[in-house]
Amino acid sequence: MNAERLIEKKRDGGVLTAEEIRGLIEGYTAGDVPDYQMAAWCMAVYFQGLTAAETAALTRAMAASGPRADLSSIPGVKVDKHSTGGVGDTVTLVTAPIAAAAGVPIAKLSGRSLGFTGGTVDKLSAIPGYRTALSFEEFIRQVREHGIAMAGQSAELCPADALLYALRDATGTVESLPLIASSVMSKKIAAGADAVVLDVKCGRGAFMKNRKAAEALMEEMTALGTAAGIRVIAFVTDMEIPLGCAIGNSVEVDEAVEVLSGGGGQRLAALSKTIAGAMICAGGKAETLAEGRRIAEAMIESGRALDKLKECITAQGGDASWIGVRPLTPQDGAYDVYAGADGYVEDIRPVELARVVMDMGGGREKKEDDVDLTVGLRLWKEAGAPVAKGEKVLTLYGRDGLPMEALARRAAAAVRIGPERNVFPLIYRMADSREA
Ligand code: URA
Ligand code: CA
């Protein structure tokens, strides 16, 4: 394998063989191919693309760079869930306990926040005592005993992707459809589930800015899953505006608890019920997506989903005693913002709000950065809602030493209030590999 030749071949629009791609990934993972050559190859892919066969070969090579998790000792159909990442996307924290309460074993490995997109592991870390680092044996035992475990993805799972994603993040090559599709699906294959529900985000607050690109990514990932023997139910959903009303780590845990208690933001609740329904269906506990959704609603109404979240938190060493008693987020740094005029919420810009939370210390610019898990913001009015002058629109949860007035001005500017009552779509498309 000659890396320079493979870079030139892709640069000039050629098609690599599966063996060439495997050689490149094995060489990179072993440290024989240096970062600068791998980065140049990624940039060539960014401009030239990959064929379906090349993307499948890349996915297989990355999935094979570490061991595949063996979930066979857990009875039942194991269902994973993945979002391509957005703002206020608390769906995993809501859907995992709903699906587990419905009898679908949930062995969930999640990533950390990066840039303006949140990560489930950081949100879970906001819960006092919660251990996100479980050994594989502990992880499996917990799923067997409690039907659910939510932990951080260890470095052994897909080491090639961990290296490549960090390299892409530093070299302007994240936003490539075949590189995203192979990155996501190699991790899903390595994580060992039988089925996966994919939520492909589309809009200003997502990697994929337009529907055409998001639908192409959805189709590519569905095909990669099917080729690997995994059933895929996929959605393209809106990320023009934030999904939930909470942005930040502990505030998103609070909103997840609210949705599991029958409240929370309407968009987050609606999408969570649909996705949980798809997980229940993929797990063989419902015949149709509609039946799955009805079961998801019943799990919320009966309190069983919230009980399952508490059970998971307790099993992982966390404190669940605050649930139903008080919010997890400390309230002493709260700073409220009020509407300056009557009207409707015409628009909410997701990246601007996520940047405010990052500038309070609630996000990660580089993967080594520390995160303040207690800071965040909460919208009290959803997009399209009527507002009266002087009503509370949002609250920032900051801490001493932050320029709260300036941050609040920026947050307020991201929420446009005017005379128009706009309609905000939520789900654009759905695909089920079983029906393809
Ligand atoms: N999420 C991933 O896991 N990989 C990508 O390349 C982009 C988003
Ligand atoms: Ca970057």
Side-chain angles (χ1 to χ4, degrees), residues 351-362:
V351 176
E352 286 73 1
L353 290 181
R355 288 267 163 223
V356 168
V357 174
M358 281 191 78
D359 291 344
M360 288 196 283

Side-chain angles (χ1 to χ4, degrees), residues 124-133 313-320 322 328:
L124 290 167
S125 302
I127 300 167
Y130 193 101
R131 292 170 58 226
T132 59
I313 291 172
T314 307
Q316 272 175 253
D319 175 13
W322 52 276
L328 177 61

